Amino acid sequence: MQILEFVLQVLLGITSLLLTLLILLHKGRGGGLSDMFGGGMTSALGSSGLAERNLNRFTVILALVWFVAIVALGLITKFQAL
């Protein structure tokens, strides 16, 4: 059981870092912090529609893996104490 817990903790760490990176790669949609770093500038050099859709899909899939890892770690922790 400790091996599974370790694997889930490593998976959680990796997915957390990748999820942060993917969220930062998304295009800014309005005011806020993205304007401070040039994200508010509109130009034709932005990402294409297909690339943005693929980035969204990968982000959602990674978020689901992250969520499942958290739930699995919580269940392991809960039933390990019994």
Side-chain angles (χ1 to χ4, degrees):
M1 192 61 81
Q2 288 180 344
I3 294 173
L4 179 62
E5 188 176 354
F6 178 74
V7 168
L8 285 173
Q9 286 176 351
V10 170
L11 181 68
L12 183 64
I14 291 171
T15 55
S16 296
L17 291 174
L18 286 175
L19 200 55
T20 302
L21 177 71
L22 287 177
I23 289 172
L24 288 174
L25 283 175
H26 277 85
K27 185 169 48 173
R29 296 220 192 312
L33 289 178
S34 63
D35 286 343
M36 285 176 43
F37 301 109
M41 297 171 54
T42 59
S43 69
L45 299 176
S47 62
S48 68
L50 180 62
E52 189 71 25
R53 278 196 306 264
N54 287 337
L55 182 62
N56 287 339
R57 288 179 189 146
F58 193 61
T59 304
V60 168
I61 291 169
L62 197 62
L64 289 174
V65 171
W66 181 81
F67 180 75
V68 167
I70 286 180
V71 170
L73 275 172
L75 288 173
I76 289 173
T77 303
K78 179 180 178 181
F79 290 117
Q80 203 172 35
L82 294 178

